[in-house]
């Protein structure tokens, strides 16, 4: 009886060992069964870096260093627009402005006063207006000259200076380029005979003014008068220098 129990226990022990062996995978690790599919599902649910558009991850655009526009258009705009604009605008404005200023300074420096040394002066009586004479000054020099204010006249040895008609003063200084002429009108005597101290002059001296009133403008001129001379009285007066002959004789 004891022998049967012992055999029965041995048989149960062997069956238990077989069951234990079947439950192991041969590596000493127990098989978890359904746990493996669950783990695979969890792994697949995680996004792969660089492929999920919603997360904003991925490969950054390569920075363009050649001047062409990248995906944002910033590189091309900076190189083509800003650099090009600075070079073109700055060079043009600087060169043009400096050249213009130098040209203006040169033109100003080249001008001189008109006087007896660089002009030819003539004096001739005219039919209209009555009792008038026309002075003509022609630039014979190589530089532009300025006829400032009015001529200062002296007939023979007269001791007084004829006045200039203020209403004939031009808006700008009369300027003569080489070969050009300027003009002044001279009222010799009153048409109604109201003038005093009338006499006939044989000689005329024309003096020029500087850039301030009554200053010395340089050499005087002595244009010849008609052979019979020129009659004048206390009404003697002159116009300012004019650019146009008609303006000189309209007074």
């Amino acid at each position: 009886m004891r022998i049967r129990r012992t055999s029965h226990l041995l048989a149960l022990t062997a069956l238990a060992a077989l069951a234990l062996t079947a439950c192991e995978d041969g590596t000493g690790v127990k098989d978890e069964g359904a746990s493996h599919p669950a783990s695979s599902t969890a792994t697949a649910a995680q996004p792969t870096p660089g492929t999920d558009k919603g997360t904003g991850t991925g490969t950054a655009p390569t920075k363009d260093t050649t001047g062409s526009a990248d995906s944002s258009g910033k590189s091309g705009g900076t190189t083509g627009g800003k650099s090009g604009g600075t070079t073109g605008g700055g060079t043009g404005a600087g060169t043009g402005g400096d050249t213009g200023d130098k040209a203006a300074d040169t033109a100003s420096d080249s001008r001189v006063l008109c006087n007896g040394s660089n002009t030819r002066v003539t004096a001739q009586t005219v039919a209209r207006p009555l009792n008038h004479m026309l002075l003509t000054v022609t630039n014979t020099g190589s530089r532009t000259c300025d006829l400032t204010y009015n001529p200062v006249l002296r007939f023979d040895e007269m001791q007084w200076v004829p006045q200039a008609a203020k209403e004939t003063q031009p808006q700008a200084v009369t300027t003569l380029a080489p070969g050009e002429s300027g003009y002044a009108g001279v009222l010799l005597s009153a048409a109604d005979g109201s003038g005093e101290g009338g006499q006939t002059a044989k000689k005329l001296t024309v003096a020029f003014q500087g850039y301030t009133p009554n200053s010395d403008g340089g050499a005087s001129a002595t244009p010849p008068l008609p052979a019979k001379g020129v009659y004048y009285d206390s009404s003697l007066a002159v116009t300012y220098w004019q650019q146009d002959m008609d303006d000189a004789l309209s007074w």
Side-chain angles (χ1 to χ4, degrees):
M1 193 67 172
R2 182 176 297 177
I3 293 174
R4 288 182 177 180
R5 288 180 177 177
T6 301
S7 299
H8 183 67
L9 289 173
L10 290 173
L12 291 174
T13 300
L15 289 172
L18 289 173
L20 180 61
T21 300
C23 291
E24 296 177 349
D25 59 2
T27 62
V29 180
K30 292 184 179 181
D31 187 358
E32 294 296 331
S35 63
H36 287 292
S39 176
S40 298
T41 303
T43 300
Q46 296 178 1
T48 301
T51 61
D52 188 352
K53 296 180 180 180
T55 62
T57 60
T59 303
T62 303
K63 184 177 182 180
D64 189 350
T65 60
T66 64
S68 59
D70 59 10
S71 59
S72 65
K74 292 181 180 179
S75 178
T78 301
T79 304
K82 184 176 180 180
S83 178
T86 301
T87 302
T91 302
T95 303
D98 292 344
T99 303
D101 292 342
K102 290 178 180 179
D105 292 341
T106 301
S108 177
D109 293 342
S110 67
R111 291 168 60 172
V112 297
L113 286 167
C114 299
N115 56 43
S117 67
N118 56 14
T119 64
R120 181 180 68 256
V121 183
T122 62
Q124 62 185 66
T125 57
V126 295
R128 294 285 186 276
L130 291 175
N131 304 334
H132 275 68
M133 183 173 68
L134 176 68
L135 295 178
T136 302
V137 177
T138 302
N139 184 354
T140 58
S142 60
R143 302 169 68 180
T144 298
C145 68
D146 293 331
L147 276 173
T148 58
Y149 305 104
N150 57 276
V152 178
L153 304 184
R154 184 183 184 188
F155 284 109
D156 293 335
E157 302 300 324
M158 63 186 299
Q159 301 299 310
W160 55 281
V161 177
Q163 297 299 305
K166 189 68 176 178
E167 64 271 22
T168 65
Q169 184 173 2
Q171 295 295 319
V173 174
T174 297
T175 300
L176 307 180
E180 289 186 337
S181 298
Y183 309 90
V186 181
L187 171 62
L188 295 171
S189 60
D192 59 4
S194 60
E196 300 177 353
Q199 56 187 298
T200 299
K202 299 292 186 178
K203 178 183 177 181
L204 171 64
T205 301
V206 179
F208 298 84
Q209 301 187 59
Y211 287 109
T212 57
N214 303 316
S215 61
D216 185 7
S220 298
T222 55
L225 294 175
K228 63 179 181 178
V230 172
Y231 179 83
Y232 72 94
D233 62 22
S234 59
S235 301
L236 183 64
V238 299
T239 68
Y240 280 73
W241 290 114
Q242 307 292 323
Q243 203 80 48
D244 188 86
M245 181 188 301
D246 292 338
D247 292 335
L249 294 176
S250 63
W251 165 71

